Amino acid sequence: MRTPIIAGNWKMNKNPQETQEFLEAIKGKLPESGVEAIIGAPAIDLNALTWFSKDEPLKTAAENCYFEDAGAFTGETSPKALSDMGLDYVIIGHSERRQYFAETDEDINKKAHAILKNNMLPIICCGETLEQRESGKAEEWVTGQIENAVKGISDDDLAKSVVAYEPIWAIGTGKTATADQAQEMVHVIREKIASLYDADTADKVRILYGGSVKPANVKELMSKEDIDGGLVGGASMDPESFLALANFQK
Ligand code: 13P
């Protein structure tokens, strides 16, 4: 049984004060069980999140990290420091990082290893452009991204990890993939994992859909067999909306 995940990705939004205000607004209102609620926030906001998560049913995610634990890497964030701080997850390979910061599959694979070594779990993002979808290359592209991201990761580690399928054409556009389109690709990803590992590992890994998820469409997406949750940008930034998503089973 895979526990559903509702994960916010605030991207480069909110300062520590705004983070505090958000946390005060959701305090005591997150589901105690049945759903894992996660917030992914900018590095400067993570301290507030990890303190909050000590008493509340919220897991925490960084939006990126480097693959070395320490050293002369000006401006980077250490996965070891994130782990020491109490972070649970790190989002890696988001399409915005691939597109604007030239992050490669090889970087993402190194980061996945560094995160797992530091006792956190990666949320590995993948997704195709509209052009790739329209030319029939989406499945090949997405499964290739996953194959490269998980190289050398053990079956036990992958089973605990999270994958997020985010079609680039649905991110921040208001254009959600239909629940059937999302299910179809998430199923393809699970089959790919079964072929790279085995059916048991594929059955355990949680695969999220991301791209214009909001309270109005979360139920339908979550009703699909292979979709285990949502990675949510815009709709995760307002406390009421995040609570409505996290409480989608009610
Ligand atoms: P939106 O929910 O704003 O479309 O963003 C999706 C996303 O990129 C989450 O990582």
Side-chain angles (χ1 to χ4, degrees):
M1 184 61 195
R2 300 184 295 264
T3 303
I5 289 179
I6 294 293
N9 172 13
W10 285 353
K11 310 194 177 185
M12 199 178 72
N13 295 293
K14 293 198 194 290
N15 62 28
Q17 174 66 32
E18 290 160 341
T19 301
Q20 209 57 55
E21 286 162 15
F22 177 96
L23 294 175
E24 273 156 30
I26 65 166
K27 199 171 179 177
K29 296 179 184 163
L30 288 168
E32 291 291 338
S33 61
V35 175
E36 209 180 309
I38 305 173
I39 295 273
I44 48 169
D45 300 326
L46 294 176
N47 197 34
L49 284 184
T50 53
W51 275 102
F52 181 83
S53 71
K54 288 184 206 292
D55 303 317
E56 293 282 326
L58 180 73
K59 296 265 177 87
T60 55
E63 295 176 14
N64 182 34
C65 69
Y66 197 49
F67 47 75
E68 296 287 353
D69 282 352
F73 304 106
T74 302
E76 289 295 316
T77 303
S78 153
K80 180 170 185 306
L82 292 173
S83 177
D84 291 346
M85 245 176 110
L87 266 287
D88 303 297
Y89 292 92
V90 184
I91 300 169
I92 51 172
H94 193 281
S95 59
E96 288 150 16
R97 294 216 55 86
R98 295 178 191 259
Q99 186 182 347
Y100 305 133
F101 305 99
E103 206 161 89
T104 65
D105 280 353
E106 197 189 337
D107 297 330
I108 293 156
N109 178 247
K110 286 182 184 166
K111 289 178 183 191
H113 281 276
I115 291 160
L116 288 160
K117 186 190 84 178
N118 281 294
N119 301 311
M120 299 179 291
L121 297 173
I123 299 176
I124 304 165
C125 302
C126 58
E128 81 285 359
T129 61
L130 189 57
E131 198 185 355
Q132 286 166 328
R133 174 161 283 261
E134 285 175 346
S135 61
K137 298 207 170 84
E139 289 187 5
E140 189 191 337
W141 176 256
V142 168
T143 53
Q145 285 182 317
I146 292 302
E147 182 164 8
N148 290 331
V150 302
K151 273 191 186 135
I153 293 178
S154 72
D155 44 5
D156 282 350
D157 277 346
L158 191 70
K160 294 181 288 182
S161 299
V162 178
V163 169
Y165 167 58
E166 301 203 304
I168 295 168
W169 47 272
I171 296 178
T173 56
K175 202 170 165 182
T176 326
T178 65
D180 286 335
Q181 280 173 323
Q183 159 62 25
E184 200 173 274
M185 187 64 89
V186 169
H187 183 70
V188 166
I189 295 169
R190 203 178 294 287
E191 290 204 314
K192 180 69 180 183
I193 293 170
S195 78
L196 293 170
Y197 290 79
D198 51 52
D200 185 48
T201 307
D203 195 47
K204 287 182 179 146
V205 62
R206 284 176 295 173
I207 310 181
L208 317 181
Y209 165 77
S212 301
V213 176
K214 44 187 179 281
N217 60 22
V218 67
K219 263 201 176 136
E220 195 194 353
L221 287 161
M222 294 302 288
S223 72
K224 297 293 174 185
E225 191 181 340
D226 285 288
I227 300 177
D228 302 316
L231 183 56
V232 189
S236 74
M237 286 192 289
D238 170 69
E240 290 312 313
S241 164
F242 183 69
L243 285 171
L245 288 162
N247 288 295
F248 77 93
Q249 285 164 324
K250 291 188 181 152

Short mmCIF file of all heavy atoms in Angstrom, two decimals, residues 7-11 91 94-96 125 164 166 170-175 210-214 231-237, ligand 1:
data_model
loop_
_atom_site.label_atom_id
_atom_site.label_comp_id
_atom_site.label_asym_id
_atom_site.label_seq_id
_atom_site.Cartn_x
_atom_site.Cartn_y
_atom_site.Cartn_z
N ALA A 7 2.71 17.14 -2.19
CA ALA A 7 3.96 17.88 -1.97
C ALA A 7 3.87 19.25 -2.63
O ALA A 7 3.62 19.35 -3.84
CB ALA A 7 5.13 17.10 -2.57
N GLY A 8 4.05 20.29 -1.84
CA GLY A 8 4.12 21.63 -2.40
C GLY A 8 5.54 21.90 -2.90
O GLY A 8 6.51 21.39 -2.33
N ASN A 9 5.63 22.65 -3.96
CA ASN A 9 6.94 23.15 -4.42
C ASN A 9 6.77 24.66 -4.58
O ASN A 9 6.17 25.11 -5.54
CB ASN A 9 7.31 22.49 -5.76
CG ASN A 9 8.56 23.13 -6.36
OD1 ASN A 9 9.28 23.88 -5.70
ND2 ASN A 9 8.82 22.83 -7.63
N TRP A 10 7.29 25.38 -3.61
CA TRP A 10 7.10 26.84 -3.62
C TRP A 10 7.97 27.54 -4.66
O TRP A 10 7.82 28.74 -4.89
CB TRP A 10 7.41 27.41 -2.24
CG TRP A 10 6.34 27.15 -1.23
CD1 TRP A 10 5.11 26.59 -1.44
CD2 TRP A 10 6.41 27.46 0.17
NE1 TRP A 10 4.41 26.53 -0.26
CE2 TRP A 10 5.18 27.06 0.74
CE3 TRP A 10 7.38 28.03 0.99
CZ2 TRP A 10 4.91 27.23 2.10
CZ3 TRP A 10 7.11 28.19 2.34
CH2 TRP A 10 5.89 27.78 2.88
N LYS A 11 8.94 26.81 -5.22
CA LYS A 11 9.87 27.42 -6.20
C LYS A 11 10.57 28.60 -5.54
O LYS A 11 10.84 28.56 -4.34
CB LYS A 11 9.13 27.78 -7.48
CG LYS A 11 8.30 26.58 -7.99
CD LYS A 11 7.80 26.71 -9.39
CE LYS A 11 7.07 25.43 -9.77
NZ LYS A 11 6.63 25.40 -11.15
N ILE A 91 13.99 17.72 -3.75
CA ILE A 91 13.47 17.66 -5.13
C ILE A 91 14.68 17.80 -6.07
O ILE A 91 15.49 18.72 -5.90
CB ILE A 91 12.48 18.82 -5.39
CG1 ILE A 91 11.29 18.76 -4.42
CG2 ILE A 91 12.01 18.81 -6.85
CD1 ILE A 91 10.39 20.01 -4.45
N HIS A 94 14.06 19.05 -11.41
CA HIS A 94 12.87 19.78 -11.86
C HIS A 94 13.17 20.39 -13.24
O HIS A 94 14.29 20.82 -13.50
CB HIS A 94 12.52 20.88 -10.85
CG HIS A 94 11.16 21.46 -11.08
ND1 HIS A 94 10.92 22.39 -12.07
CD2 HIS A 94 9.96 21.21 -10.50
CE1 HIS A 94 9.63 22.68 -12.07
NE2 HIS A 94 9.03 21.98 -11.13
N SER A 95 12.15 20.46 -14.07
CA SER A 95 12.38 20.95 -15.45
C SER A 95 12.94 22.38 -15.45
O SER A 95 13.70 22.75 -16.36
CB SER A 95 11.09 20.89 -16.26
OG SER A 95 10.09 21.68 -15.66
N GLU A 96 12.58 23.16 -14.42
CA GLU A 96 13.12 24.53 -14.37
C GLU A 96 14.62 24.51 -14.11
O GLU A 96 15.37 25.34 -14.64
CB GLU A 96 12.38 25.35 -13.30
CG GLU A 96 10.96 25.68 -13.76
CD GLU A 96 9.94 25.81 -12.64
OE1 GLU A 96 10.34 25.94 -11.47
OE2 GLU A 96 8.73 25.76 -12.94
N CYS A 125 12.32 14.38 -10.57
CA CYS A 125 11.35 14.90 -11.55
C CYS A 125 11.74 14.51 -12.97
O CYS A 125 12.91 14.42 -13.31
CB CYS A 125 11.27 16.42 -11.48
SG CYS A 125 10.82 17.04 -9.86
N ALA A 164 8.44 12.18 -9.73
CA ALA A 164 7.36 13.11 -10.08
C ALA A 164 7.35 13.31 -11.59
O ALA A 164 8.34 13.78 -12.16
CB ALA A 164 7.55 14.44 -9.36
N GLU A 166 6.15 15.43 -14.44
CA GLU A 166 5.62 16.78 -14.66
C GLU A 166 5.80 17.17 -16.14
O GLU A 166 6.87 17.62 -16.53
CB GLU A 166 6.39 17.78 -13.79
CG GLU A 166 6.31 17.50 -12.32
CD GLU A 166 6.59 18.75 -11.49
OE1 GLU A 166 7.65 19.37 -11.66
OE2 GLU A 166 5.71 19.12 -10.72
N ALA A 170 2.42 21.48 -18.94
CA ALA A 170 1.33 21.64 -17.96
C ALA A 170 1.77 22.42 -16.73
O ALA A 170 0.97 22.66 -15.83
CB ALA A 170 0.82 20.26 -17.54
N ILE A 171 3.04 22.83 -16.67
CA ILE A 171 3.55 23.51 -15.48
C ILE A 171 3.25 25.00 -15.54
O ILE A 171 3.71 25.69 -16.47
CB ILE A 171 5.07 23.28 -15.31
CG1 ILE A 171 5.36 21.79 -15.07
CG2 ILE A 171 5.62 24.13 -14.17
CD1 ILE A 171 6.83 21.45 -14.95
N GLY A 172 2.49 25.48 -14.57
CA GLY A 172 2.21 26.91 -14.45
C GLY A 172 1.40 27.47 -15.60
O GLY A 172 1.28 28.67 -15.77
N THR A 173 0.79 26.60 -16.39
CA THR A 173 0.06 27.05 -17.57
C THR A 173 -1.45 27.00 -17.36
O THR A 173 -2.21 27.51 -18.19
CB THR A 173 0.37 26.14 -18.78
OG1 THR A 173 0.05 24.79 -18.40
CG2 THR A 173 1.84 26.21 -19.17
N GLY A 174 -1.85 26.34 -16.27
CA GLY A 174 -3.28 26.13 -16.05
C GLY A 174 -3.80 24.96 -16.88
O GLY A 174 -4.94 24.55 -16.78
N LYS A 175 -2.90 24.42 -17.72
CA LYS A 175 -3.28 23.32 -18.61
C LYS A 175 -2.86 22.01 -17.97
O LYS A 175 -1.69 21.61 -18.04
CB LYS A 175 -2.49 23.55 -19.91
CG LYS A 175 -3.02 22.91 -21.13
CD LYS A 175 -2.24 23.46 -22.32
CE LYS A 175 -2.43 22.63 -23.55
NZ LYS A 175 -1.65 23.15 -24.68
N GLY A 210 2.63 16.17 -11.55
CA GLY A 210 2.71 17.61 -11.30
C GLY A 210 2.42 18.40 -12.56
O GLY A 210 2.78 17.98 -13.67
N GLY A 211 1.77 19.54 -12.40
CA GLY A 211 1.41 20.38 -13.54
C GLY A 211 -0.01 20.86 -13.37
O GLY A 211 -0.95 20.14 -13.69
N SER A 212 -0.16 22.09 -12.77
CA SER A 212 -1.48 22.69 -12.58
C SER A 212 -2.42 21.82 -11.73
O SER A 212 -3.63 21.82 -11.96
CB SER A 212 -2.11 23.05 -13.93
OG SER A 212 -1.27 23.97 -14.63
N VAL A 213 -1.86 21.11 -10.75
CA VAL A 213 -2.72 20.40 -9.78
C VAL A 213 -3.32 21.45 -8.85
O VAL A 213 -2.64 22.38 -8.41
CB VAL A 213 -1.90 19.38 -8.94
CG1 VAL A 213 -2.80 18.72 -7.89
CG2 VAL A 213 -1.26 18.33 -9.84
N LYS A 214 -4.60 21.30 -8.56
CA LYS A 214 -5.30 22.24 -7.67
C LYS A 214 -6.43 21.51 -6.96
O LYS A 214 -6.74 20.37 -7.32
CB LYS A 214 -5.81 23.45 -8.46
CG LYS A 214 -6.46 23.13 -9.78
CD LYS A 214 -6.77 24.41 -10.55
CE LYS A 214 -7.41 24.13 -11.89
NZ LYS A 214 -6.47 23.71 -12.95
N LEU A 231 2.72 16.86 -7.10
CA LEU A 231 3.77 17.85 -6.81
C LEU A 231 3.18 19.17 -7.32
O LEU A 231 2.93 19.33 -8.52
CB LEU A 231 5.07 17.49 -7.52
CG LEU A 231 6.27 18.41 -7.25
CD1 LEU A 231 6.59 18.51 -5.77
CD2 LEU A 231 7.52 17.91 -8.00
N VAL A 232 2.93 20.07 -6.38
CA VAL A 232 2.07 21.21 -6.67
C VAL A 232 2.83 22.52 -6.53
O VAL A 232 3.40 22.80 -5.47
CB VAL A 232 0.87 21.24 -5.68
CG1 VAL A 232 -0.14 22.29 -6.11
CG2 VAL A 232 0.23 19.86 -5.55
N GLY A 233 2.81 23.33 -7.58
CA GLY A 233 3.46 24.64 -7.52
C GLY A 233 2.49 25.69 -7.01
O GLY A 233 2.27 25.84 -5.80
N GLY A 234 1.89 26.44 -7.93
CA GLY A 234 1.04 27.59 -7.60
C GLY A 234 0.03 27.35 -6.48
O GLY A 234 -0.09 28.15 -5.55
N ALA A 235 -0.68 26.23 -6.56
CA ALA A 235 -1.76 25.98 -5.60
C ALA A 235 -1.26 25.54 -4.21
O ALA A 235 -2.07 25.32 -3.31
CB ALA A 235 -2.73 24.93 -6.16
N SER A 236 0.07 25.43 -4.04
CA SER A 236 0.58 25.04 -2.71
C SER A 236 0.95 26.26 -1.88
O SER A 236 1.30 26.14 -0.71
CB SER A 236 1.81 24.14 -2.85
OG SER A 236 2.95 24.90 -3.26
N MET A 237 0.88 27.45 -2.47
CA MET A 237 1.41 28.63 -1.78
C MET A 237 0.39 29.33 -0.88
O MET A 237 0.76 30.07 0.01
CB MET A 237 2.01 29.59 -2.79
CG MET A 237 3.35 29.03 -3.29
SD MET A 237 4.28 30.21 -4.19
CE MET A 237 3.32 30.32 -5.66
P1 13P B 1 2.15 24.35 -11.05
O1 13P B 1 1.39 23.50 -10.06
O2 13P B 1 2.20 25.80 -10.69
O3 13P B 1 1.73 24.07 -12.46
O4 13P B 1 3.69 23.84 -10.94
C1 13P B 1 3.97 22.50 -11.07
C2 13P B 1 5.38 22.27 -10.66
O5 13P B 1 6.30 22.62 -11.37
C3 13P B 1 5.62 21.64 -9.36
O6 13P B 1 6.95 21.24 -9.22
#
